[in-house]
mmCIF file of all heavy atoms in Angstrom:
data_model
loop_
_atom_site.group_PDB
_atom_site.id
_atom_site.type_symbol
_atom_site.label_atom_id
_atom_site.label_comp_id
_atom_site.label_asym_id
_atom_site.label_seq_id
_atom_site.Cartn_x
_atom_site.Cartn_y
_atom_site.Cartn_z
ATOM 1 N N PHE A 370 143.751 40.236 123.146
ATOM 2 C CA PHE A 370 144.859 40.250 122.199
ATOM 3 C C PHE A 370 145.286 41.733 121.788
ATOM 4 O O PHE A 370 144.534 42.687 122.049
ATOM 5 C CB PHE A 370 144.331 39.598 120.913
ATOM 6 C CG PHE A 370 144.324 38.076 120.911
ATOM 7 C CD1 PHE A 370 144.280 37.380 122.143
ATOM 8 C CD2 PHE A 370 144.152 37.393 119.851
ATOM 9 C CE1 PHE A 370 144.287 36.044 122.346
ATOM 10 C CE2 PHE A 370 144.166 35.923 119.817
ATOM 11 C CZ PHE A 370 144.158 35.275 121.068
ATOM 12 N N ALA A 371 146.451 41.761 121.370
ATOM 13 C CA ALA A 371 147.005 43.223 120.992
ATOM 14 C C ALA A 371 146.401 43.638 119.671
ATOM 15 O O ALA A 371 146.533 44.855 119.501
ATOM 16 C CB ALA A 371 148.492 43.159 120.990
ATOM 17 N N GLY A 372 145.916 42.850 118.817
ATOM 18 C CA GLY A 372 145.505 43.251 117.500
ATOM 19 C C GLY A 372 146.744 43.429 116.556
ATOM 20 O O GLY A 372 147.939 43.139 117.015
ATOM 21 N N GLY A 373 146.521 43.914 115.397
ATOM 22 C CA GLY A 373 147.602 44.071 114.452
ATOM 23 C C GLY A 373 148.179 45.500 114.520
ATOM 24 O O GLY A 373 147.714 46.344 115.313
ATOM 25 N N PRO A 374 149.239 45.805 113.791
ATOM 26 C CA PRO A 374 149.875 47.089 113.819
ATOM 27 C C PRO A 374 148.851 48.220 113.234
ATOM 28 O O PRO A 374 148.031 47.933 112.459
ATOM 29 C CB PRO A 374 151.015 47.002 112.737
ATOM 30 C CG PRO A 374 151.209 45.640 112.520
ATOM 31 C CD PRO A 374 149.899 44.895 112.740
ATOM 32 N N LYS A 375 148.840 49.381 113.903
ATOM 33 C CA LYS A 375 147.990 50.409 113.489
ATOM 34 C C LYS A 375 148.347 51.214 112.283
ATOM 35 O O LYS A 375 147.527 51.820 111.669
ATOM 36 C CB LYS A 375 147.743 51.364 114.620
ATOM 37 C CG LYS A 375 147.024 50.570 115.812
ATOM 38 C CD LYS A 375 146.732 51.581 117.013
ATOM 39 C CE LYS A 375 145.984 50.944 118.197
ATOM 40 N NZ LYS A 375 146.660 49.713 118.649
ATOM 41 N N THR A 376 149.571 51.086 112.029
ATOM 42 C CA THR A 376 150.227 51.828 110.900
ATOM 43 C C THR A 376 151.024 51.048 110.013
ATOM 44 O O THR A 376 150.933 49.803 110.039
ATOM 45 C CB THR A 376 151.102 53.145 111.486
ATOM 46 O OG1 THR A 376 152.178 52.512 112.218
ATOM 47 C CG2 THR A 376 150.188 54.074 112.280
ATOM 48 N N HIS A 377 151.853 51.748 109.219
ATOM 49 C CA HIS A 377 152.734 50.925 108.232
ATOM 50 C C HIS A 377 151.977 50.226 107.186
ATOM 51 O O HIS A 377 152.204 49.095 106.789
ATOM 52 C CB HIS A 377 153.754 50.007 108.923
ATOM 53 C CG HIS A 377 154.733 50.782 109.755
ATOM 54 N ND1 HIS A 377 155.573 51.591 109.229
ATOM 55 C CD2 HIS A 377 154.880 50.663 111.043
ATOM 56 C CE1 HIS A 377 156.358 52.009 110.356
ATOM 57 N NE2 HIS A 377 155.801 51.583 111.330
ATOM 58 N N GLY A 378 150.872 50.975 106.625
ATOM 59 C CA GLY A 378 150.185 50.406 105.563
ATOM 60 C C GLY A 378 149.265 49.156 105.801
ATOM 61 O O GLY A 378 148.884 48.541 104.851
ATOM 62 N N GLN A 379 148.987 49.110 106.937
ATOM 63 C CA GLN A 379 147.975 47.948 107.408
ATOM 64 C C GLN A 379 146.588 48.219 107.054
ATOM 65 O O GLN A 379 146.111 49.241 107.085
ATOM 66 C CB GLN A 379 148.156 47.634 108.924
ATOM 67 C CG GLN A 379 149.441 47.435 109.371
ATOM 68 C CD GLN A 379 150.030 46.055 108.976
ATOM 69 O OE1 GLN A 379 149.292 45.066 108.828
ATOM 70 N NE2 GLN A 379 151.261 45.977 108.627
ATOM 71 N N SER A 380 145.936 47.270 106.319
ATOM 72 C CA SER A 380 144.533 47.539 106.192
ATOM 73 C C SER A 380 143.802 46.213 106.643
ATOM 74 O O SER A 380 144.126 45.147 106.612
ATOM 75 C CB SER A 380 144.154 47.715 104.661
ATOM 76 O OG SER A 380 144.538 46.569 103.948
ATOM 77 N N ASP A 381 142.642 46.608 107.316
ATOM 78 C CA ASP A 381 141.819 45.480 107.972
ATOM 79 C C ASP A 381 142.442 44.578 108.854
ATOM 80 O O ASP A 381 142.039 43.424 109.040
ATOM 81 C CB ASP A 381 141.004 44.652 106.752
ATOM 82 C CG ASP A 381 140.392 45.538 105.713
ATOM 83 O OD1 ASP A 381 140.159 46.726 106.075
ATOM 84 O OD2 ASP A 381 140.281 45.093 104.542
ATOM 85 N N ARG A 382 143.527 44.957 109.460
ATOM 86 C CA ARG A 382 144.298 44.013 110.330
ATOM 87 C C ARG A 382 144.364 44.542 111.751
ATOM 88 O O ARG A 382 145.087 44.057 112.601
ATOM 89 C CB ARG A 382 145.809 43.848 109.810
ATOM 90 C CG ARG A 382 145.820 43.194 108.423
ATOM 91 C CD ARG A 382 146.326 41.809 108.509
ATOM 92 N NE ARG A 382 145.326 40.917 108.912
ATOM 93 C CZ ARG A 382 145.604 39.688 109.549
ATOM 94 N NH1 ARG A 382 146.737 39.342 109.903
ATOM 95 N NH2 ARG A 382 144.639 38.922 110.050
ATOM 96 N N HIS A 383 143.715 45.660 111.953
ATOM 97 C CA HIS A 383 143.861 46.379 113.265
ATOM 98 C C HIS A 383 143.471 45.624 114.520
ATOM 99 O O HIS A 383 144.207 45.601 115.482
ATOM 100 C CB HIS A 383 143.140 47.747 113.323
ATOM 101 C CG HIS A 383 143.685 48.669 112.028
ATOM 102 N ND1 HIS A 383 144.916 48.897 111.963
ATOM 103 C CD2 HIS A 383 142.959 49.124 111.094
ATOM 104 C CE1 HIS A 383 144.988 49.684 110.778
ATOM 105 N NE2 HIS A 383 143.872 49.807 110.363
ATOM 106 N N ARG A 384 142.392 44.760 114.274
ATOM 107 C CA ARG A 384 141.915 44.059 115.560
ATOM 108 C C ARG A 384 141.873 42.497 115.200
ATOM 109 O O ARG A 384 141.193 41.548 115.610
ATOM 110 C CB ARG A 384 140.511 44.494 115.908
ATOM 111 C CG ARG A 384 140.490 45.884 116.386
ATOM 112 C CD ARG A 384 139.134 46.413 116.706
ATOM 113 N NE ARG A 384 138.643 45.810 118.053
ATOM 114 C CZ ARG A 384 138.851 46.286 119.234
ATOM 115 N NH1 ARG A 384 139.552 47.445 119.317
ATOM 116 N NH2 ARG A 384 138.192 45.709 120.246
ATOM 117 N N ALA A 385 142.696 42.004 114.242
ATOM 118 C CA ALA A 385 142.722 40.696 113.737
ATOM 119 C C ALA A 385 143.509 39.854 114.776
ATOM 120 O O ALA A 385 144.252 40.259 115.460
ATOM 121 C CB ALA A 385 143.470 40.572 112.310
ATOM 122 N N PRO A 386 143.036 38.487 114.790
ATOM 123 C CA PRO A 386 143.605 37.551 115.847
ATOM 124 C C PRO A 386 145.025 37.055 115.460
ATOM 125 O O PRO A 386 145.740 36.536 116.260
ATOM 126 C CB PRO A 386 142.702 36.489 115.813
ATOM 127 C CG PRO A 386 141.994 36.440 114.553
ATOM 128 C CD PRO A 386 141.957 37.906 114.028
ATOM 129 N N GLY A 387 145.483 37.234 114.244
ATOM 130 C CA GLY A 387 146.864 36.818 113.936
ATOM 131 C C GLY A 387 146.772 35.221 113.449
ATOM 132 O O GLY A 387 145.605 34.716 113.127
ATOM 133 N N SER A 388 147.821 34.536 113.705
ATOM 134 C CA SER A 388 147.747 33.104 113.292
ATOM 135 C C SER A 388 147.153 32.161 114.208
ATOM 136 O O SER A 388 147.051 32.282 115.459
ATOM 137 C CB SER A 388 149.248 32.661 113.097
ATOM 138 O OG SER A 388 149.399 31.248 113.043
ATOM 139 N N ALA A 389 146.445 31.222 113.759
ATOM 140 C CA ALA A 389 145.688 30.264 114.501
ATOM 141 C C ALA A 389 146.510 29.038 114.717
ATOM 142 O O ALA A 389 145.955 28.044 115.177
ATOM 143 C CB ALA A 389 144.351 29.982 113.877
ATOM 144 N N GLY A 390 147.717 28.927 114.084
ATOM 145 C CA GLY A 390 148.514 27.749 114.307
ATOM 146 C C GLY A 390 149.388 27.594 113.165
ATOM 147 O O GLY A 390 149.615 28.451 112.154
ATOM 148 N N ALA A 391 150.150 26.322 113.020
ATOM 149 C CA ALA A 391 151.081 26.032 112.053
ATOM 150 C C ALA A 391 150.401 25.655 110.643
ATOM 151 O O ALA A 391 149.316 25.791 110.529
ATOM 152 C CB ALA A 391 152.123 24.940 112.600
ATOM 153 N N GLY A 392 151.124 25.003 109.784
ATOM 154 C CA GLY A 392 150.673 24.707 108.400
ATOM 155 C C GLY A 392 150.127 23.305 108.186
ATOM 156 O O GLY A 392 149.279 22.759 109.085
ATOM 157 N N THR A 393 150.732 22.673 107.231
ATOM 158 C CA THR A 393 150.121 21.251 106.896
ATOM 159 C C THR A 393 150.385 20.266 107.960
ATOM 160 O O THR A 393 149.473 19.371 108.256
ATOM 161 C CB THR A 393 151.120 20.807 105.728
ATOM 162 O OG1 THR A 393 151.183 21.810 104.749
ATOM 163 C CG2 THR A 393 150.451 19.538 105.112
ATOM 164 N N THR A 394 151.438 20.516 108.774
ATOM 165 C CA THR A 394 151.634 19.764 110.079
ATOM 166 C C THR A 394 151.325 20.735 111.146
ATOM 167 O O THR A 394 152.061 21.740 111.139
ATOM 168 C CB THR A 394 153.133 19.172 110.233
ATOM 169 O OG1 THR A 394 153.585 18.803 108.892
ATOM 170 C CG2 THR A 394 153.015 18.094 111.288
ATOM 171 N N PRO A 395 150.535 20.491 111.940
ATOM 172 C CA PRO A 395 149.440 19.514 112.178
ATOM 173 C C PRO A 395 148.211 19.474 111.272
ATOM 174 O O PRO A 395 147.476 18.585 111.362
ATOM 175 C CB PRO A 395 149.039 19.756 113.521
ATOM 176 C CG PRO A 395 149.126 21.144 113.756
ATOM 177 C CD PRO A 395 150.300 21.613 112.885
ATOM 178 N N GLY A 396 148.082 20.503 110.492
ATOM 179 C CA GLY A 396 146.938 20.449 109.588
ATOM 180 C C GLY A 396 145.566 20.838 110.071
ATOM 181 O O GLY A 396 144.633 20.797 109.477
ATOM 182 N N HIS A 397 145.529 21.210 111.318
ATOM 183 C CA HIS A 397 144.314 21.800 112.047
ATOM 184 C C HIS A 397 144.600 22.635 113.047
ATOM 185 O O HIS A 397 145.811 22.720 113.530
ATOM 186 C CB HIS A 397 143.419 20.508 112.500
ATOM 187 C CG HIS A 397 144.053 19.858 113.670
ATOM 188 N ND1 HIS A 397 143.958 20.209 114.930
ATOM 189 C CD2 HIS A 397 145.008 18.688 113.692
ATOM 190 C CE1 HIS A 397 144.578 19.335 115.725
ATOM 191 N NE2 HIS A 397 145.236 18.446 114.936
ATOM 192 N N THR A 398 143.584 23.353 113.465
ATOM 193 C CA THR A 398 143.827 24.350 114.666
ATOM 194 C C THR A 398 143.546 23.485 115.893
ATOM 195 O O THR A 398 142.659 22.672 115.947
ATOM 196 C CB THR A 398 142.746 25.462 114.471
ATOM 197 O OG1 THR A 398 143.021 26.127 113.308
ATOM 198 C CG2 THR A 398 142.918 26.428 115.619
ATOM 199 N N PHE A 399 144.540 23.704 116.836
ATOM 200 C CA PHE A 399 144.381 22.863 118.146
ATOM 201 C C PHE A 399 143.065 23.404 118.849
ATOM 202 O O PHE A 399 142.685 24.602 118.911
ATOM 203 C CB PHE A 399 145.583 23.244 118.873
ATOM 204 C CG PHE A 399 146.815 22.496 118.441
ATOM 205 C CD1 PHE A 399 147.916 23.177 118.079
ATOM 206 C CD2 PHE A 399 146.852 21.203 118.463
ATOM 207 C CE1 PHE A 399 149.055 22.573 117.533
ATOM 208 C CE2 PHE A 399 148.009 20.543 117.971
ATOM 209 C CZ PHE A 399 149.073 21.288 117.490
ATOM 210 N N PRO A 400 142.406 22.371 119.502
ATOM 211 C CA PRO A 400 141.272 22.832 120.324
ATOM 212 C C PRO A 400 141.681 23.701 121.451
ATOM 213 O O PRO A 400 142.740 23.649 122.024
ATOM 214 C CB PRO A 400 140.809 21.388 120.906
ATOM 215 C CG PRO A 400 141.506 20.419 120.011
ATOM 216 C CD PRO A 400 142.804 21.009 119.479
ATOM 217 N N GLY A 401 140.716 24.592 121.774
ATOM 218 C CA GLY A 401 141.112 25.498 122.844
ATOM 219 C C GLY A 401 141.661 26.793 122.364
ATOM 220 O O GLY A 401 141.985 27.668 123.252
ATOM 221 N N MET A 402 141.957 26.904 121.045
ATOM 222 C CA MET A 402 142.461 28.160 120.532
ATOM 223 C C MET A 402 141.583 29.331 120.827
ATOM 224 O O MET A 402 140.313 29.153 120.690
ATOM 225 C CB MET A 402 142.680 27.887 119.066
ATOM 226 C CG MET A 402 143.549 28.921 118.431
ATOM 227 S SD MET A 402 145.209 28.684 118.896
ATOM 228 C CE MET A 402 145.845 30.279 118.485
ATOM 229 N N LYS A 403 142.148 30.374 121.441
ATOM 230 C CA LYS A 403 141.238 31.522 121.719
ATOM 231 C C LYS A 403 140.822 32.168 120.459
ATOM 232 O O LYS A 403 141.594 32.472 119.465
ATOM 233 C CB LYS A 403 142.080 32.567 122.518
ATOM 234 C CG LYS A 403 142.341 32.086 123.929
ATOM 235 C CD LYS A 403 143.189 33.008 124.657
ATOM 236 C CE LYS A 403 143.420 32.501 126.109
ATOM 237 N NZ LYS A 403 144.354 33.398 126.819
ATOM 238 N N GLY A 404 139.516 32.467 120.268
ATOM 239 C CA GLY A 404 138.950 33.054 119.110
ATOM 240 C C GLY A 404 137.805 34.016 119.599
ATOM 241 O O GLY A 404 137.592 34.143 120.590
#
Side-chain angles (χ1 to χ4, degrees):
Chain A
F370 282 18
K375 290 182 175 61
T376 56
H377 296 294
Q379 303 287 323
S380 63
D381 308 341
R382 296 253 75 208
H383 304 300
R384 296 176 73 87
S388 168
T393 314
T394 325
H397 64 90
T398 300
F399 288 115
M402 195 68 203
K403 288 174 180 172

